[in-house]
Amino acid sequence: MTDLDATAPPYAPFGLDTDPACSGLVPSTVETELGPVRVHQSATRSGSTATLLLHGAAGSWTTWTPLLAAARAAGEPLTDVVTIDLPGWGDSPGPRIRSRLTLDSLADVVWRIVTLLGYSRADIIGHSLGAFIALHLAATRPAQVDAVRLVSATSFSVLASVEHPVRSFGAVPGFTLLLGVFRLLRMGGDRGAGLVRAVRRIGLLRVAVSPLFRHPLRVPRSVVDALADEVRPDSFVRAAEATRAYDPRRRWASIRCPVWAVRGDADSFVPSRDLTGLLRAIPRATLAEIGDCGHFAHVERPRETLEALGLMTWRSSVARNDEAAAR
């Protein structure tokens, strides 16, 4: 496992950008079995493989804009980008029958969107819950997934916490407490949402989200505001419940594509043993820890995340290989 020194570059250099045009993206809405899903994709298309970005359970497509900005700043912009507001988050309302929000239904909807947009394959970059969905897609559709790149992937400790919250409390106490709070908030309905607004109004929101970041006081205001907007207790709880009885070592053993996985060295939701545990399920995975970083590496350390996920050199080598084949 590579240990990346991230002390020199600036921390959280880009805020979240809600204007898709600034990221070269065009918005659309796709009707699916789980309801209308908001999608943003590259204005121009260059191939048959989508660069599919899947956000976590506290975000939307905008959480990827710092990574996209870092790629542009490095002179290596990501191409054929497809970002999805997963059903129940962002501008995707989710199914009216909430029990339909399962892991398989989420994965099926994601892949249906990819194919409807005209792509036959995908290179998937996922964060947290989105990384878990990415792994499931790679396991269930090995012929269509070219690569999986994981940022703080939901995996062993979170799965144990969902199954046995008391017995596994010490594994990821922050997640276990958050899940308990969200269960209470969703029971409160509008009152739960009102509590979140109150925390935001009195200026405690940055304190509330501090476990997610290495330096919460240095995170751009746009990031904190977006997290407040994306507090979806019901969607969060249902996504957590959808992982019950999932056997990651058995399911992920079928993954054949290259896998890169990173975590921040101060990530309170993904302990280092989860990262190394991926090697037991996916022996050829490439792992990295990003220094001075929390749960949102693609926001806190976007350039380092691009490098750790192989996106600064892997694509260049592919381009060189394509040019050589053309000659």
Side-chain angles (χ1 to χ4, degrees):
M1 179 169 62
T2 305
D3 186 14
L4 301 180
D5 182 4
T7 58
Y11 178 83
F14 304 103
L16 269 57
D17 197 333
T18 59
D19 182 0
C22 293
S23 298
L25 303 177
V26 176
S28 62
T29 299
V30 178
E31 293 296 331
T32 76
E33 294 83 353
L34 295 181
V37 173
R38 193 64 167 169
V39 178
H40 294 80
Q41 65 184 109
S42 291
T44 58
R45 180 174 164 177
S46 61
S48 61
T49 300
T51 302
L52 177 62
L53 308 181
L54 300 178
H55 65 77
S60 69
W61 75 273
T62 61
T63 60
W64 292 111
T65 56
L67 189 81
L68 296 174
R72 293 195 303 272
E76 297 191 45
L78 302 185
T79 58
D80 291 289
V81 170
V82 174
T83 67
I84 297 174
D85 281 353
L86 293 169
W89 286 273
D91 291 327
S92 300
R96 292 186 178 180
I97 303 176
R98 304 297 284 170
S99 60
R100 291 181 178 173
L101 197 67
T102 66
L103 176 60
D104 284 326
S105 69
L106 283 171
D108 288 345
V109 161
V110 166
W111 197 252
R112 174 173 169 77
I113 290 170
V114 169
T115 56
L116 285 175
L117 295 178
Y119 294 101
S120 58
R121 309 179 68 82
D123 182 334
I124 311 177
I125 309 172
H127 171 238
S128 197
L129 168 66
F132 186 72
I133 296 172
L135 286 166
H136 189 63
L137 283 167
T140 56
R141 293 168 174 81
Q144 284 78 46
V145 178
D146 285 350
V148 170
R149 307 171 196 274
L150 313 171
V151 181
S152 292
T154 293
S155 58
F156 309 104
S157 294
V158 166
L159 298 181
S161 174
V162 172
E163 292 284 356
H164 306 287
V166 176
R167 190 170 70 194
S168 303
F169 180 79
V172 276
F175 171 83
T176 306
L177 289 172
L178 183 62
L179 181 58
V181 169
F182 276 7
R183 282 183 169 131
L184 291 174
L185 286 175
R186 77 167 181 167
M187 286 168 39
D190 291 340
R191 287 176 295 174
L195 177 60
V196 174
R197 288 194 294 270
V199 169
R200 184 177 188 174
R201 186 168 56 250
I202 64 178
L204 291 179
L205 187 59
R206 198 172 284 270
V207 175
V209 303
S210 61
L212 297 173
F213 302 102
R214 178 65 180 88
H215 300 289
L217 296 180
R218 292 163 57 188
V219 173
R221 176 65 181 269
S222 59
V223 176
V224 178
D225 287 345
L227 287 175
D229 293 337
E230 291 305 319
V231 172
R232 311 289 174 93
D234 186 64
S235 295
F236 187 97
V237 172
R238 289 191 182 277
E241 294 293 334
T243 69
R244 284 191 179 277
Y246 193 86
D247 185 346
R249 290 185 175 86
R250 180 180 63 83
R251 300 299 293 268
W252 298 344
S254 62
I255 294 176
R256 296 292 178 263
C257 67
V259 175
W260 286 263
V262 306
R263 70 177 287 273
D265 65 344
D267 190 340
S268 59
F269 280 25
V270 180
S272 59
R273 64 179 174 274
D274 279 15
L275 194 62
T276 54
L278 284 173
L279 284 178
R280 290 189 288 274
I282 313 170
R284 292 180 294 175
T286 300
L287 312 180
E289 281 193 345
I290 299 179
D292 199 34
C293 182
H295 189 62
F296 278 77
H298 54 307
V299 173
E300 298 172 81
R301 300 287 181 185
R303 173 60 186 256
E304 297 88 322
T305 300
L306 287 168
E307 294 173 349
L309 294 178
L311 288 165
M312 302 298 287
T313 57
W314 184 78
R315 288 174 183 271
S316 297
S317 65
V318 168
R320 288 194 296 270
N321 290 338
D322 288 345
E323 291 172 4
R327 290 196 295 269

